[in-house]
Amino acid sequence: MSVKDTKEVVMIDDDDDDEYQVTENDEIAAIDYELQQIESELQILQDRKKILTQRKEKLRDDALLKKSFSLSKKNWDNEDFDWSARLRKSLKDVFKIEKLRELQLPTMNAIMSKEDVILIMPTGGGKSLCYQLPAVISKGITIVVSPLVSLMEDQLHGLHKLHVKTTMLCGKADKESVKMTMNALVDKNSDLKLIYVTPEYMAKSNRFMNKLQKAYELGRLERFAIDEVHCCSQWGHDFRPDYKFLGVLKSMFPGIPILGLTATAPAKIIVDVQKMLDISGCLVLRASFNRPNLYYEVRRKPADKETCLAMMENLLKNRFGGKSGIIYTTTIKDAEQLTTDLRDRGIKVGCYHAMLEAEYRSEVYSKWMSGKYQAVIATIAFGLGIDKPDVRFVIHHCVSKSMENFYQESGRAGRDGKKSVSIVLYRLADVFKLSTMVFQDKVGLQNLYKVLTYCLDQTSCRRSLIATHFEETWNASDCVEMCDHCRKPGVGKEIDVAQYCRQLYQIMTKAVQNETRLTALKLVDAWYSKGASSLRVSNVPVPRFARETAEAIIGHLLVNGYLQEDFHFSAYSTISYLKRGPKSGLALNNDHKILFNYELH
């Protein structure tokens, strides 16, 4: 073969190679397309599987709820029981109360009848009286399990003023007090009525459980009251591992009734709690969630600190001038800083959190109760069991961790039934600050994203959103303009944000190529062609709408699974980055729509 022939062969080979390359690229593109289609179909099947699984669980749970409902058909709301006269007399003579509130009498009658009961009643509804009054007229001892020492101290203080013999057991209880309590449990002549105990103490103290068994054998044990009973459930917003220990009570003390109390809990959690405490199908009494005297409002929290402070100063001096309130923050540092900042603006406020000395906390509390302080700036632990009826406003300086938390915290306003206000200051950055605190909880992010959804909604009645969460039927017209949306209806418009989602994916792809992780702030900066130039994508147009709208779109994509948080530990903190979510396969399909009811501006 000549040199010329060889060259021709090589050239032919090259041509074949090019031809092969083109075919190969086409095939890869076809495979990619098919994989994308499969991804979309898988996502649809996954969503369907999720819906069917939830429906199956709901049907099972409904069977238990029906059992509870049949028990509730008995008329517990009457005064022809053996103890009715004593109950009425002690209500007036000891507690100085003339009239019982909704569900208090049925709860007390059922628990005195040795029935297990779960009572769901809003904060300030009078749950504690449901075990305190039966305890006073019973011969033996009522054990009250409570998660917060501050709550127990507050109730002890109140009962001692009424001359009801009460004591408390927790990690910080002194030896003499513990000894007296242990002896009283087995002393037939003791007039001790209630023992408050933390679940941690109960789970760890063999001595206490031993005395409890002896008290049971002597017929001295009347009932268990478990406060914040939703903490038993891993699906709850405040799961506490030591609450799991309470599952032994039914087998250890057969015949001793259990009263579970909570301000908020959906049916799924109530069923879970019943199973865990071995009281499945017990009587469940649920008061309405609605607080007709509370006005609900969500405001955009200014990113600029001084602007935010000016807004709060205006609220406290004008709209709430001379009125008492609570301002909730997320961290101790935030509470202290906000207290300093507002004092600098001439507002009389006190700071309250767990790390302060007990004496100082009491002083702040007293000044607030007496009106010397207009508001208490506190972390969310503050307020449980606090009975100040004239709280006219609750301001959330940062969003709550869950709808349950929000409902409880906002419900500390207006306990006297008079008109009061709940304001949430919402900002997306605060959501990511909280997510790093809750992401390790089983349902921490899920709960937080429900609050984010509540804040992002521009048109729905706030009460209807709360009702949907708590599985109550609600007619928006019943709100009577007691929320910002019903008072001034919004004009939201359903828009398709899928194109924006794909643009954000492009920015994320470039960041991955540069081996860079994106926080929400960096993602928005790159979208607006700001920040590091290496993260900007030239063919992604700068949005024509405001930055807060961009944040709302990111929030919407996050709660709907098109984006997801990616947590990384640094030496001093946990950082939340954003990445594509489980529904990214759907979003990449140009025909897919992501609808968002939001007014672009």
Side-chain angles (χ1 to χ4, degrees), residues 164-205:
V164 177
K165 195 80 184 287
T166 316
T167 186
M168 178 175 93
L169 289 172
C170 64
K172 68 177 191 179
D174 61 86
K175 284 185 180 179
E176 193 57 36
S177 168
V178 171
K179 186 181 175 184
M180 283 171 59
T181 304
M182 297 293 180
N183 290 338
L185 269 167
V186 292
D187 180 0
K188 286 189 175 181
N189 299 315
S190 170
D191 58 353
L192 184 65
K193 294 295 182 185
L194 296 112
I195 299 174
Y196 284 79
V197 59
T198 60
E200 290 82 6
Y201 190 93
M202 212 166 179
K204 291 176 178 68
S205 176

Side-chain angles (χ1 to χ4, degrees), residues 188-253:
K188 286 189 175 181
N189 299 315
S190 170
D191 58 353
L192 184 65
K193 294 295 182 185
L194 296 112
I195 299 174
Y196 284 79
V197 59
T198 60
E200 290 82 6
Y201 190 93
M202 212 166 179
K204 291 176 178 68
S205 176
N206 289 339
R207 182 185 172 196
F208 176 63
M209 293 308 292
N210 175 258
K211 290 286 185 185
L212 217 49
Q213 280 181 306
K214 286 181 179 173
Y216 172 70
E217 288 158 12
L218 292 167
R220 298 260 305 133
L221 188 58
E222 291 283 355
R223 67 191 61 84
F224 291 100
I226 303 172
D227 208 2
E228 310 296 337
V229 77
H230 59 269
C231 296
C232 289
S233 172
Q234 289 193 45
W235 301 105
H237 59 283
D238 278 325
F239 173 60
R240 297 277 284 263
D242 283 299
Y243 264 78
K244 286 198 289 187
F245 176 77
L246 304 178
V248 306
L249 297 181
K250 265 296 161 193
S251 57
M252 280 183 77
F253 308 105

Side-chain angles (χ1 to χ4, degrees), residues 9-20:
V9 170
V10 171
M11 285 172 71
I12 290 165
D13 281 350
D14 280 350
D15 286 345
D16 283 350
D17 200 40
D18 286 344
E19 200 173 303
Y20 171 75

Side-chain angles (χ1 to χ4, degrees), residues 33 36-37 40 498 502 584-593:
Y33 178 75
Q36 197 174 306
Q37 294 301 107
S40 297
R502 289 189 283 272
S584 59
L586 287 174
L588 288 167
N589 184 335
N590 288 329
D591 296 327
H592 183 70
K593 289 186 176 182

Side-chain angles (χ1 to χ4, degrees), residues 316-473:
L316 292 164
K317 288 182 177 177
N318 297 308
R319 185 172 173 185
F320 304 131
K323 294 174 182 175
S324 180
I326 303 170
I327 300 169
Y328 281 114
T329 61
T330 310
T331 65
I332 288 168
K333 186 182 173 186
D334 288 343
E336 291 178 343
Q337 186 61 56
L338 189 56
T339 303
T340 304
D341 292 337
L342 289 176
R343 280 179 174 174
D344 288 346
R345 290 170 177 257
I347 300 165
K348 290 179 180 176
V349 290
C351 184
Y352 191 106
H353 58 72
M355 299 309 288
L356 295 169
E357 292 292 329
E359 201 176 313
Y360 182 79
R361 280 209 312 269
S362 298
E363 188 187 332
V364 171
Y365 179 62
S366 301
K367 284 184 176 178
W368 179 59
M369 291 293 278
S370 66
K372 285 180 182 175
Y373 283 155
Q374 181 184 1
V376 170
I377 298 174
T379 51
I380 55 172
F382 175 76
L384 291 172
I386 301 296
D387 191 20
K388 187 172 180 356
D390 64 339
V391 175
R392 294 277 73 89
F393 65 91
V394 169
I395 297 173
H396 281 88
H397 186 251
C398 176
V399 297
S400 299
K401 290 191 286 186
S402 69
M403 286 300 288
E404 284 81 5
N405 283 117
F406 165 65
Y407 180 72
Q408 281 186 309
E409 291 149 15
S410 60
R412 289 177 190 133
R415 288 191 178 193
D416 54 7
K418 294 178 183 176
K419 286 191 176 181
S420 305
V421 178
S422 158
I423 298 178
V424 177
L425 301 182
Y426 153 72
R427 187 164 143 246
L428 189 66
D430 288 342
V431 173
F432 296 116
K433 190 170 159 185
L434 277 172
S435 67
T436 59
M437 298 178 190
V438 304
F439 78 97
Q440 293 180 60
D441 298 342
K442 191 170 185 177
V443 285
L445 286 177
Q446 188 181 317
N447 287 333
L448 178 60
Y449 291 167
K450 283 175 182 171
V451 180
L452 175 54
T453 304
Y454 173 82
C455 293
L456 287 174
D457 194 299
Q458 285 192 316
T459 54
S460 305
C461 165
R462 299 284 177 203
R463 273 182 168 69
S464 69
L465 294 171
I466 297 168
T468 301
H469 180 80
F470 292 119
E471 298 159 345
E472 279 201 36
T473 50

